[in-house]
């Protein structure tokens, strides 16, 4: 659901967009830290916020980091 948000911010289209790992952090909702493979050897880290169910909001892309590798640790950013 956040792929269009990422592509819009990066002004590019990703043919590959596969989540390979994620972590969560519970706040007033949930932060998801997701490692996404965008090409054979290129990864991005996404921070996605999902509000509590009663707020009826879609997941939103809060922040991201590009230039990551498969081995880069997925940490808070």
């Amino acid at each position: 659901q956040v792929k269009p948000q990422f592509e819009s911010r990066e002004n590019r289209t990703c043919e590959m967009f596969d989540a390979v790992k994620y972590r969560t952090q519970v706040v007033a909702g949930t932060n998801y830290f997701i490692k996404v493979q965008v090409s054979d050897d290129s990864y991005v880290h996404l921070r996605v916020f999902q509000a509590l169910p009663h707020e009826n909001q879609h997941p939103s892309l809060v922040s991201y980091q590009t230039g990551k590798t498969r081995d880069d640790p997925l940490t808070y950013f």
Side-chain angles (χ1 to χ4, degrees):
Q1 289 183 337
V2 297
K3 180 182 178 188
Q5 295 174 50
F6 174 77
E7 290 175 331
S8 174
R9 289 190 192 180
E10 276 290 293
N11 196 25
R12 70 185 234 199
T13 300
C14 300
E15 300 218 3
M16 180 185 289
F17 201 81
D18 299 324
V20 295
K21 185 175 185 178
Y22 77 95
R23 296 178 59 197
T24 61
Q25 176 189 39
V26 177
V27 289
T30 304
N31 280 323
Y32 291 92
F33 299 91
I34 308 166
K35 181 180 292 198
V36 177
Q37 185 175 8
V38 292
S39 72
D40 287 341
D41 59 352
S42 181
Y43 295 79
V44 296
H45 290 181
L46 309 179
R47 186 169 84 203
V48 176
F49 178 72
Q50 176 64 63
L52 294 171
H54 72 275
E55 296 182 24
N56 292 326
Q57 295 181 8
H58 294 290
S60 63
L61 180 62
V62 176
S63 183
Y64 64 91
Q65 299 175 328
T66 59
K68 297 295 186 175
T69 68
R70 183 170 189 84
D71 298 326
D72 284 335
L74 189 56
T75 58
Y76 181 89
F77 60 92

